[in-house]
Amino acid sequence: MIIFDTLQTAFMQLGANKLRTGLTMLGIVIGVGAVIALMAAGQGAQQGVTKEVSALGSNLIFVSPGQTEQGGGPVTISATTLTTDDAEAIKSLQYVDAVISQYDLPIENQLVGNGRNTTASMTATEPDFTYVRSWEVQAGRFISDEDVSRKATNVVLGAKVAEDLFDTPENAIGQDVRLSFGPFSLNLTVVGVMEERGAAGTGEDDTQILIPLTTFRARVPFGRAVGGSENVQQIVVKATDGGKVDDTKEDIRALLLERHDYEEDFTVQTQNDLTATARDVSRTLTMLLGAIAGISLVVGGIGIMNIMLVSVTERTREIGIRKAVGASSGDILLQFVVEAIIVTLVGGALGVLAGVVAARMADGQDFGTGSSVTTVIAPWSIFVALGVSVMIGLFFGIYPAFRASRLNPIEALRAE
């Protein structure tokens, strides 16, 4: 009965000062909403990274040079510590299914064709690329062994690139395009268009073009190594089975150490390694965003304490009367604590609603960055935000409540 009376009195007092109650809640609403929205953005980033790594293919191992160096102009080219001979040697290992060597130019290169222009990243690779990456051709064909041996100026377009220049994949086949990057340019003939990956890809697949690795090395100056060795920027290995990936990784490392005179001038990473590293970064970012948003919750809590102290001062005479007719200090303490918790609980619920709406609205938007934002609302973040808001109400409401409970009833009755 005491709890019911306390709740009834609390709602009456809060309802009597609607504007003050609303402004007090506002800090909690903003704080909880910010926590949920920013945590959703962080969770979305983690999920996006995992999806991008998975979209590269299955059972993959990536071998890269240990150091990088700046090439001419705006292009960064990896240090030349890996060669096609390394790739051929890796093919002989027990659990290796396929191996490709490649160069990547992830910068936006200008591509002109059919009187239009667009931008695309470029990958110079080998015929097994489609098998290793589990990515098929939609129209035409992929790079062939003959293209590689002839160093042909053929190109395969990503779906978005083909759409930008030729409207449909079929229209692109046989057309000529001109690729420009920095001070260099290359005339190419379209022989194929890759199937659209969309959200299932890495986010850059559909804006990518692919040319023979030998063509890149023959026609692009910074694609050739000093001394004429056939160096590559990356070797991608597909293992025969997911359970053999870690064993194959160690076999590759041991083989390359032997071939490189036991100088570890390379790195060997599995998809799990890449995912784990990216997840650690995203998790740290998520916690940082949550902590920043949590500051607004603390500010909201300070606002609650301030308003509750004002309320104690205004209700001094009421407190004196209640004590005079038999209310204990514990009853007064409970009254003000309950009022603070109600404010934060209702504010927290509204904040959850605001955060969920904000996260849903932000999902898929690019905000002018060129890449869309993914938000994932984790149920635990809602419970954490609500729990923290209640704890803040309890923590910041306890001092005003304690102060109210300690008032002398005689002095309180004298108050105007």
Side-chain angles (χ1 to χ4, degrees):
M1 192 66 181
I2 294 176
I3 295 296
F4 177 77
D5 291 338
T6 300
L7 288 172
Q8 187 179 40
T9 303
F11 281 113
M12 286 177 60
Q13 288 295 332
L14 295 174
N17 298 280
K18 294 182 179 63
L19 181 59
R20 177 191 295 178
T21 302
L23 292 174
T24 304
M25 285 183 184
L26 186 59
I28 300 298
V29 171
I30 293 173
V32 172
V35 168
I36 290 178
L38 292 178
M39 294 290 278
Q43 288 291 313
Q46 289 187 43
Q47 187 182 85
V49 167
T50 302
K51 184 174 69 175
E52 285 194 10
V53 174
S54 299
L56 293 173
S58 59
N59 309 332
L60 300 187
I61 303 164
F62 304 90
V63 186
S64 305
Q67 297 179 344
T68 58
E69 61 185 14
Q70 292 293 328
V75 182
T76 300
I77 295 297
S78 297
T80 53
T81 58
L82 297 176
T83 68
T84 51
D85 290 339
D86 291 328
E88 289 298 320
I90 291 172
K91 290 180 181 179
S92 66
L93 295 176
Q94 183 177 3
Y95 300 114
V96 170
D97 187 16
V99 179
I100 57 171
S101 304
Q102 62 186 44
Y103 267 98
D104 291 309
L105 288 181
I107 62 172
E108 292 188 345
N109 308 290
Q110 186 180 33
L111 193 67
V112 179
N114 193 32
R116 309 177 191 174
N117 69 82
T118 187
T119 57
S121 58
M122 185 185 75
T123 296
T125 187
E126 297 177 318
D128 282 341
F129 176 88
T130 54
Y131 175 67
V132 172
R133 286 287 310 277
S134 303
W135 187 15
E136 298 301 324
V137 174
Q138 179 179 354
R141 63 173 178 84
F142 194 68
I143 296 165
S144 66
D145 290 326
E146 184 180 357
D147 291 332
V148 172
S149 62
R150 292 194 304 108
K151 303 176 184 178
T153 55
N154 292 333
V155 63
V156 179
L157 306 181
K160 182 65 167 59
V161 177
E163 180 183 349
D164 290 344
L165 296 181
F166 303 103
D167 298 325
T168 67
E170 291 73 17
N171 290 344
I173 306 303
Q175 299 295 322
D176 293 328
V177 295
R178 184 177 183 82
L179 174 68
S180 300
F181 43 96
F184 310 107
S185 62
L186 192 59
N187 293 318
L188 303 165
T189 301
V190 180
V191 295
V193 176
M194 303 301 292
E195 67 179 9
E196 185 175 0
R197 298 294 290 269
T202 65
E204 297 180 353
D205 286 343
D206 294 335
T207 59
Q208 188 177 36
I209 63 171
L210 303 113
I211 67 172
L213 177 62
T214 52
T215 304
F216 177 80
R217 281 203 300 253
R219 296 178 178 271
V220 180
F222 54 75
R224 297 190 293 269
V226 177
S229 59
E230 295 185 346
N231 297 97
V232 295
Q233 186 189 47
Q234 186 181 59
I235 299 172
V236 183
V237 182
K238 185 179 180 68
T240 55
D241 183 77
K244 301 298 183 181
V245 169
D246 290 334
D247 292 338
T248 306
K249 172 187 173 181
E250 293 305 316
D251 291 344
I252 292 172
R253 182 175 177 274
L255 173 66
L256 293 181
L257 278 174
E258 182 179 351
R259 290 181 56 83
H260 291 215
D261 297 325
Y262 295 94
E263 180 182 355
E264 195 163 358
D265 52 1
F266 57 87
T267 59
V268 184
Q269 293 180 299
T270 66
Q271 285 175 289
N272 288 337
D273 295 333
L274 296 176
T275 302
T277 301
R279 279 180 175 172
D280 287 342
V281 174
S282 297
R283 189 177 296 113
T284 302
L285 177 62
T286 301
M287 297 306 296
L288 179 62
L289 291 174
I292 293 173
I295 293 174
S296 60
L297 273 176
V298 175
V299 173
I302 293 173
I304 288 174
M305 178 185 284
N306 183 47
I307 294 300
M308 293 302 294
L309 286 172
V310 171
S311 180
V312 169
T313 302
E314 290 180 347
R315 295 161 63 186
T316 300
R317 188 173 181 82
E318 174 197 329
I319 294 168
I321 293 173
R322 293 184 64 178
K323 280 197 166 187
V325 297
S328 65
S329 295
D331 294 332
I332 303 299
L333 178 69
L334 179 63
Q335 180 67 56
F336 282 90
V337 169
V338 167
E339 289 181 18
I341 290 177
I342 288 175
V343 169
T344 52
L345 190 57
V346 174
L350 293 174
V352 167
L353 181 61
V356 169
V357 170
R360 295 296 186 195
M361 290 178 65
D363 191 34
Q365 303 297 317
D366 63 9
F367 299 104
T369 62
S371 59
S372 60
V373 173
T374 300
T375 58
V376 177
I377 301 172
W380 62 264
S381 67
I382 294 176
F383 292 113
V384 167
L386 274 176
V388 170
S389 68
V390 172
M391 292 300 296
I392 282 177
L394 182 62
F395 179 79
F396 286 99
I398 196 73
Y399 173 70
F402 180 75
R403 182 173 173 178
S405 69
R406 299 288 292 176
L407 286 176
N408 185 298
I410 297 175
E411 293 180 0
L413 286 169
R414 288 176 181 169
E416 294 295 334

